[in-house]
Amino acid sequence: MAEKNYKDLEREVWEKGLCTRCGACTAVCPADAFTFPPGSPAHPEPPRYCKMEADDVSCGSCYLACPRVEDLSLPEDPVGDYLLAVTAKATFPIPGRQSGGAVTALLVNALERGLVDAVVTVAQDPWTRKPQSVVITEKEALVAQAGSRYNWWVPLLAALKEAVVVRKYRRVAVVALPCAAAALARIRSSGLDLHAPYARAVRLVVGLFCTETFDYERLMEGKVRGELGIEPWEIERMDVRGSLKVTAGEQIFEIPLDELETCIPEGCRHCTDFAAWGADISAGAVGSPEGYTTLLIRTSAGRGFFEEAMNAGLLEVGEPVDLARVEALAEKKMARR
């Protein structure tokens, strides 16, 4: 197959509303040609300069990293393949944790034991609650950013270039939604020389269960601030369980999920992956009792990180996973195809 470039992405992905804004194209472009304009764009701006297009240089890096190209085969099981399913929780305090804090515990152990040098994830500004992709290298910062995000509509993997190319970290963990986990799976397996630095550096991908995410401007500015009259810095907690619950002080506000339809980006509407099939470990609250996290350990690398955290005493395993609950949501999302 002839190499494809950003013009093929534009035709096959962007124009069809399939872009997930995962940032994979931003990370792997050798010319740093991809940028996302301010606001809530549906896809990156077309590059003003492309080596492959302008200079006839062999590349195709952006196309081969995109999780929305080609007719990718779906797993037979909507949950995907895994080696082990457990419920677990952190054994140390994590003030902002959404469920069991198991993901934070895994990453804290990995940082403290030198299994990874950095964690690429999404953090949020404490005043505006606006999300941004970041590189975290300290336990304290990792714990401070613990908790679920419901507006991940940011190019997460753009920070991977900062971690690997700019700051030269050689052992990186990534916390990703299913779309970004799928992009990383493509990058790790492509065999492309331009992808090799990332493939070597990414040691662990933790994928988060996801039905959809929300656009920051539409959710926070439109619904929360505009309709509920709540300032972002007043919010103590947000949770989705049948509705969006927003806790501010002693009050809890609820927004029915059908009223949030306009906040869902178009790219999310085409996604069929609930359980992050491309991750080393998938994680979420579904299927676990209160205070625990469901972990689907998919690869030998994921098992290694899990066992290291267990041996260090930072993780505690609970009762078996209620897989029927996970499967129900996974099947519902896969039915979108």
Side-chain angles (χ1 to χ4, degrees), residues 243 246 257 281 292 300:
S243 64
V246 182
L257 293 182
I281 299 175
Y292 282 80
S300 58

Side-chain angles (χ1 to χ4, degrees), residues 2-20:
E3 288 178 335
K4 295 188 175 184
N5 63 19
Y6 81 90
K7 287 192 172 181
D8 298 287
L9 282 183
E10 192 170 30
R11 183 178 61 257
E12 297 177 25
V13 178
W14 302 351
E15 291 177 358
K16 294 180 180 180
L18 302 179
C19 179
T20 68

Side-chain angles (χ1 to χ4, degrees), residues 307-320:
E307 290 178 350
E308 288 281 353
M310 286 291 296
N311 293 337
L314 298 185
L315 269 183
E316 174 184 310
V317 171
E319 60 189 61

